[in-house]
Amino acid sequence: MKRRQILGFLGIVVAGLLLAIGLPLVTPSPVIAQSNNILVSAAASLKDALEEIKPLYQQSKSDVNVTYNFGASGALQQQIEQGAPADIFISAGKKQVDALETKGLLLPGTRTNLANNRLVLIVAQDVEGITSFYNLTDAKIKKIAIGEPRSVPAGQYGEQVLKKLKLYDRLKPKLVFANNVRQVLAAVETGNAEAGLVYATDAKISNKVKVVVAADEKFHSPIVYPMAVLKSSKNPSASKEFVQFLSSAQAKDILKKYGFIVSK
């Protein structure tokens, strides 16, 4: 018997002996621990508050890595519906979260309201003579920035207000639509629009704009920020804990600091 045949024969014998006594033929792969990463898709108007809350949360949960995806609530809703990864969704309106709940995409029992807000009319600091929504018809107001109503809740609320005041049709030629509320703020700050409709919290973070008036709340749907863990979350346990933390006294203090309205 040739040497190669002998070695092959011995290999078969050894393999058979290993199987007979129950030893594995290969070394098992190491078990990889689940990563404590959570991705939060949140309305753009929450950016500053959530960024400040993150390190506070990680003081006690250093093993959890929180990442944010900020944008228009409607756009984030569509991303989630199309299968984009996310663990938590925080919207600037009920409509978007209602849609996900109807489609069975929320983890049952995790939906709650984070905060409320107010809609305000803003102008650049150097603009004078604008004291109400009705002044927007003045010839000196060429452009009015507003969120795209189909995807931006602030734009939806703004459209409702202008229609209630019977101003929408008159002002429509002046309207400049933005992809999220922060773009509306930037348009007024840079002078690309003389006026804009944003949340009170957006106006609060800028020293380049001033608030003319807050919209009467009876003229628009309630401005509420619902949040929930998504059924597709790869880390539901950590996601639930983060949602609970957002309702804590510590997180509420930060939200109030930025002008959000929170329950006691």
Side-chain angles (χ1 to χ4, degrees):
M1 188 178 291
K2 295 181 180 179
R3 177 174 176 156
R4 184 177 296 176
Q5 291 174 321
I6 292 172
L7 290 174
F9 176 75
L10 289 175
I12 293 171
V13 172
V14 171
L17 288 172
L18 289 173
L19 288 171
I21 62 177
L23 292 177
L25 292 177
V26 295
T27 304
S29 301
V31 176
I32 300 174
Q34 184 182 17
S35 173
N36 267 350
N37 294 328
I38 56 175
L39 175 59
V40 183
S41 285
S45 51
L46 286 164
K47 185 177 188 300
D48 298 271
L50 289 183
E51 291 285 14
E52 188 167 329
I53 286 171
K54 177 179 174 178
L56 186 64
Y57 176 70
Q58 291 184 318
Q59 286 177 8
S60 59
K61 295 288 182 178
S62 58
D63 60 324
V64 179
N65 180 39
V66 180
T67 303
Y68 295 123
N69 174 31
F70 294 108
S73 300
L76 296 175
Q77 171 205 336
Q78 289 183 351
Q79 290 175 14
I80 292 166
E81 289 176 344
Q82 292 166 7
D87 296 287
I88 298 167
F89 179 42
I90 312 177
S91 173
K94 285 178 73 280
K95 175 183 174 183
Q96 292 74 24
V97 180
D98 286 347
L100 296 185
E101 188 165 34
T102 299
K103 294 182 179 181
L105 299 178
L106 305 184
L107 195 63
T110 63
R111 178 172 177 171
T112 185
N113 289 336
L114 175 65
N116 293 79
N117 215 333
R118 294 292 304 274
L119 187 74
V120 297
L121 172 63
I122 60 169
V123 294
Q125 285 285 3
D126 59 352
V127 172
E128 301 293 339
I130 305 298
T131 58
S132 77
F133 281 97
Y134 293 103
N135 293 139
L136 295 177
T137 60
D138 291 357
K140 66 181 177 182
I141 301 295
K142 308 291 185 186
K143 293 180 180 179
I144 305 163
I146 183 174
E148 166 54 60
R150 290 172 295 182
S151 60
V152 184
Q156 176 191 342
Y157 303 133
E159 183 181 67
Q160 290 173 353
V161 171
L162 295 179
K163 286 183 175 179
K164 279 285 187 179
L165 296 174
K166 301 189 185 305
L167 288 171
Y168 187 80
D169 290 337
R170 294 172 65 187
L171 297 178
K172 193 171 182 180
K174 298 183 179 186
L175 298 181
V176 178
F177 297 101
N179 291 329
N180 61 63
V181 72
R182 288 299 170 88
Q183 286 187 7
V184 175
L185 178 65
V188 181
E189 287 180 325
T190 58
N192 289 322
E194 289 83 12
L197 289 169
V198 299
Y199 296 122
T201 51
D202 299 300
K204 189 178 178 67
I205 64 170
S206 176
N207 59 7
K208 296 179 181 179
V209 304
K210 58 186 177 184
V211 175
V212 172
V213 64
D216 193 319
E217 291 182 284
K218 70 183 179 209
F219 291 157
H220 60 76
S221 303
I223 302 176
V224 62
Y225 288 74
M227 61 181 174
V229 177
L230 298 168
K231 191 177 285 187
S232 60
S233 171
K234 290 183 169 53
N235 205 337
S237 179
S239 298
K240 287 179 184 177
E241 288 182 353
F242 186 66
V243 165
Q244 288 176 344
F245 183 80
L246 291 177
S247 298
S248 69
Q250 289 173 292
K252 285 182 177 181
D253 283 344
I254 292 175
L255 288 164
K256 283 190 286 187
K257 168 185 162 183
Y258 283 95
F260 289 95
I261 303 164
V262 297
S263 59
K264 294 182 181 179

